[in-house]
Amino acid sequence: MNLDEIRADITKVDEKIIDLIVERMKKTLEVAKYKKENALPVLDRSREREILSRITKQAGNDFQDYAKVLFSILFDLSRSYQIRVLTEEGKLAENIQSALEKTPKLFPSRASVACPGVEGAYSQLACDRFFSLPDIVYFRHFEGVFQAVENGLCEYGILPIENSSFGSVRAVYDLMKDYRFHIVRSMKMCVSHTLLAKPGVDFSKIREVISHENAIGQCSEFLRKHPEIKITVCENTAIAAKYAANSARDDIAAISSRNCAELYGLKIVNDSIQNSDNNYTRFICISKNMEIYPGANKISLMLSLPHRPGALYSAIARFAALGVNLTKLESRPIPGKDFEFFFYLDLEASVCSPEVIRLLSRFESEPDQFVFLGCYNEI
């Protein structure tokens, strides 16, 4: 047989397979209805193990592993279909619908906004891009921003969440689980770090550099070349610049923005210190109440999963079954629990989709912790 003849035979087999899959999914629907009527759970591990044992024996030694993978995928699809039928929209769906109806058509230009750091911080620069007339309240730590929003002191808060070259801002992720908030918008901003010192200070005299740990990480290659310089971590890049300006020492410098040089009367000692010229930081804008503005096409979630093999895979498979693109997956340990984690997910999806609402309702109905962080767009 030539290649075309072999492929023709494969096509015939494929046609039989799809007919059988459709027939199997129709039977799955009957199973779902029966389970609903008799209040039975969707997941039946013993039944799945029984099927895997039977089909792997039938496939033989050469193909048993492939058969196991194929049927594991079929189980995921079947469970997803059953849950789609069984899941009823809950409180989250109502809240999302309410937010869609009540949120103004335009993002506000004026608001009270909590920012970490002091004047000149990158978060302040991001704030000025989110809002044209912000009334900014500064907080020394990220936690202050969460507290200000949750307690109603500020309408919105600005937080850095990840960097293109240094990864996630872990301190922000660790605080997320402790506060009630919603993400209403995000942006990616190009960040350019400079080394700042007092006027007249030569680089050869610098013996200590201070900045935020993420900025230090983004400039690690430059700092590694100068082992004689002590590195000190502080809360914020702008706070570092202000500290260097007010210090009585002449051997201290700060990694901060070009904007801070003008603000605090410092000199740019070196403006080529970051690892990559293509350096972007993503900022989120948070509010206490859920707000979903027109065009929102990104969803963020937080959830915990059972500590068992395949739990994360099963969760991700639900998104894959809908063709939803998962753009970020971040895990952070749960304090006090051995090797158990919270997972933070970003999706390219809209809550205007009934399929997405059903999927979110499914997560909401399960016993594991689940938090809908928001649906928003990125500028």
Side-chain angles (χ1 to χ4, degrees):
M1 296 178 69
N2 60 36
L3 183 59
D4 289 339
E5 291 172 332
I6 296 172
R7 285 175 171 170
D9 285 347
I10 290 176
T11 298
K12 292 178 183 177
V13 174
D14 289 343
E15 290 171 351
K16 293 178 182 177
I17 289 173
I18 193 61
D19 287 340
L20 291 172
I21 288 176
V22 170
E23 183 179 348
R24 192 183 198 282
M25 294 302 281
K26 288 179 179 178
K27 291 297 179 182
T28 294
L29 180 58
E30 294 179 21
V31 170
K33 291 178 179 178
Y34 181 88
K35 288 181 176 179
K36 185 174 184 178
E37 292 171 359
N38 294 274
L40 296 174
V42 169
L43 181 61
D44 187 343
R45 290 290 185 195
S46 61
R47 166 69 174 162
E48 291 183 1
R49 282 194 294 270
E50 176 190 327
I51 295 173
L52 287 177
S53 176
R54 173 168 47 80
I55 61 98
T56 50
K57 289 179 182 177
Q58 183 178 343
N61 291 336
D62 289 343
F63 302 109
Q64 62 181 8
D65 291 337
Y66 300 102
K68 182 178 179 179
V69 171
L70 173 61
F71 272 79
S72 295
I73 294 172
L74 279 176
F75 294 156
D76 287 332
L77 293 173
S78 296
R79 285 197 300 270
S80 177
Y81 190 31
Q82 289 184 57
I83 292 171
R84 175 183 169 186
V85 173
L86 298 175
T87 300
E88 297 179 357
E89 294 184 0
K91 186 66 175 177
L92 175 59
E94 294 177 12
N95 292 341
I96 289 173
Q97 184 58 41
S98 177
L100 286 168
E101 294 171 356
K102 294 180 180 179
T103 302
K105 300 303 180 185
L106 295 176
F107 196 75
S109 60
R110 183 189 297 270
S112 59
V113 187
C115 284
V118 293
E119 189 76 15
Y122 289 110
S123 295
Q124 176 250 307
L125 301 179
C127 180
D128 287 342
R129 288 185 58 188
F130 280 119
F131 304 91
S132 58
L133 295 168
D135 180 12
I136 300 177
V137 181
Y138 291 104
F139 295 86
R140 196 168 183 87
H141 303 283
F142 295 140
E143 188 162 20
V145 175
F146 281 106
Q147 291 173 342
V149 171
E150 184 176 76
N151 296 329
L153 178 63
C154 294
E155 298 169 88
Y156 299 96
I158 308 298
L159 293 160
I161 196 167
E162 63 180 320
N163 177 265
S164 58
S165 60
F166 194 64
S168 298
V169 183
R170 293 172 294 178
V172 173
Y173 277 103
D174 286 339
L175 288 166
M176 282 185 173
K177 66 183 182 302
D178 298 327
Y179 293 93
R180 176 191 168 191
F181 70 96
H182 292 90
I183 302 173
V184 298
R185 186 154 286 193
S186 69
M187 76 160 62
K188 290 179 181 176
M189 187 173 75
C190 186
V191 171
S192 180
H193 296 301
T194 57
L195 189 67
L196 307 181
K198 289 181 178 180
V201 174
D202 186 76
F203 176 72
S204 62
K205 303 296 183 181
I206 293 173
R207 289 296 175 265
E208 183 175 4
V209 167
I210 59 173
S211 194
H212 187 268
E213 62 177 341
N214 285 74
I216 290 169
Q218 293 162 38
C219 303
S220 60
E221 293 177 10
F222 169 80
L223 294 171
R224 196 177 295 117
K225 295 175 182 176
H226 300 280
E228 75 280 4
I229 296 177
K230 176 185 176 183
I231 300 170
T232 300
V233 175
C234 72
E235 302 92 331
N236 186 271
T237 55
I239 289 175
K242 189 174 182 178
Y243 179 86
N246 294 333
S247 175
R249 295 167 53 189
D250 290 330
D251 63 346
I252 194 167
I255 295 175
S256 192
S257 68
R258 183 180 296 271
N259 187 50
C260 281
E262 182 179 351
L263 277 172
Y264 299 110
L266 297 171
K267 180 187 74 170
I268 297 176
V269 180
N270 193 323
D271 62 357
S272 301
I273 62 171
Q274 59 195 36
N275 298 347
S276 171
D277 291 334
N278 190 31
N279 188 38
Y280 286 83
T281 295
R282 182 170 170 240
F283 293 86
I284 55 173
C285 178
I286 66 171
S287 71
K288 181 175 182 178
N289 299 316
M290 190 187 303
E291 298 176 5
I292 304 176
Y293 290 89
N297 58 3
K298 194 180 187 78
I299 293 175
S300 290
L301 311 171
M302 178 175 70
L303 53 88
S304 63
L305 295 171
H307 191 45
R308 65 168 182 255
L312 179 58
Y313 166 78
S314 296
I316 293 175
R318 303 179 193 184
F319 302 112
L322 288 183
V324 172
N325 187 28
L326 186 66
T327 58
K328 183 176 177 65
L329 175 62
E330 177 80 17
S331 65
R332 298 300 300 152
I334 300 175
K337 295 188 177 181
D338 291 338
F339 299 104
E340 294 190 35
F341 299 86
F342 278 109
F343 293 91
Y344 302 85
L345 300 89
D346 288 345
L347 325 169
E348 288 182 345
S350 170
V351 292
C352 293
S353 164
E355 294 287 345
V356 171
I357 289 293
R358 275 195 289 267
L359 178 59
L360 298 177
S361 296
R362 172 183 170 185
F363 279 112
E364 180 191 24
S365 67
E366 295 177 351
D368 304 301
Q369 184 173 349
F370 168 74
V371 180
F372 174 78
L373 295 176
C375 182
Y376 54 96
N377 62 8
E378 188 163 275
I379 61 175

